[in-house]
Amino acid sequence: ALSALLEFGGRQAAAAFAQADDSAALVARCLQAHMDSSSVQARGLAVIGLTALDCGGEEAPLDGGEAPLPPSSRIPEGFEPLLGQPGIELALASLRTHAADAEVSRRALPAIWALLEQSQCGSGWSVNGTLLVPGSIEPVVAAMRAHVDDGQVQRWGVAALWALVRVGGEPAAVAVAEHEGVEAIAAAMSALPQEVEVQERALGAMVAILTQGSIAEAQAVVDQGGMTAMQEALRNHPDHEQVRRWGDAAIELVLDRIPPRSALEGDDADAEAAAVAAAGGGSDEE
């Protein structure tokens, strides 16, 4: 009932929710008390995600730019148990418990994205990036692997990884590479080649990983299939502005970060040089 009210009532419903005594704390306690119930988790996570959007001002921009937020965009009094760091921790706990449940993943991943994006858009929400790594990366990657053909899970999974890396910085980029998150992103792109929102968000996540990471993360993009997936996305969507923007940027970052061939040895050098050259050639096609 709460999720339906928030979905269709928008900020007016969120304001009424905020005025109810201990409303956010009650939802949080419900989620904690019924962690084993996937239906309770899915509906509670929907409340968190919708509340984040309703209380956070304008919708967070996908490209990481600043959205114009009103003065009331800070976490409203009484909502602290659901928004910011506590809300993210609730969503991650639910994902860890119900990784095989697609509906939980469909609700948890956009909630994580919304909470992180609002924290980065001037809303003043406190999210400690250092606390998100390494424990936040694995459940997101596990959910994506468990539901590789589910467009909603993949769309919000890659968006959540993108936001996690933006907030967590280099440690998050390292954790994504170490836990084969790049492979999960590439798998999403390969499984859903015509889903442009998956492609766009996946490429944005690649750019974040490469920007925040080092040579090792660029190498992970090559080794875990990211270059091939990016090349295919550019071929499949040559006229899509954002796909082109993020794809070209990601490939350029890899080409800038990969060590020169002289620093590599033997067959590995030939294979890696061929992969980079092929991907670079794909980015130049019109």
Side-chain angles (χ1 to χ4, degrees), residues 222 226-232 234-235 244 247-256 258 272-286:
V222 174
M227 293 294 276
T228 300
M230 291 189 292
Q231 184 181 10
E232 287 300 312
L234 289 169
R235 288 175 176 170
R244 199 78 197 173
D248 287 343
I251 289 176
E252 182 178 355
L253 284 166
V254 172
L255 295 174
D256 287 343
I258 291 290
E272 291 174 6
V276 172
S283 70
D284 291 332
E285 290 182 3
E286 295 292 338

Side-chain angles (χ1 to χ4, degrees), residues 124-203:
W125 297 6
S126 175
V127 174
N128 185 348
T130 61
L131 295 179
L132 299 176
V133 179
S136 58
I137 304 298
E138 299 97 307
V140 173
V141 172
M144 293 174 65
R145 287 176 174 166
H147 311 287
V148 70
D149 295 323
D150 190 306
Q152 289 298 308
V153 171
Q154 298 306 316
R155 171 190 178 187
W156 294 112
V158 295
L161 287 178
W162 184 358
L164 284 164
V165 173
R166 286 181 55 227
V167 173
E170 183 179 4
V174 171
V176 170
E178 288 181 347
H179 293 285
E180 299 182 339
V182 174
E183 182 177 297
I185 295 170
M189 298 174 73
S190 298
L192 302 160
Q194 299 306 317
E195 293 282 347
V196 70
E197 290 188 345
V198 171
Q199 304 298 315
E200 180 182 348
R201 288 161 171 77
L203 291 167

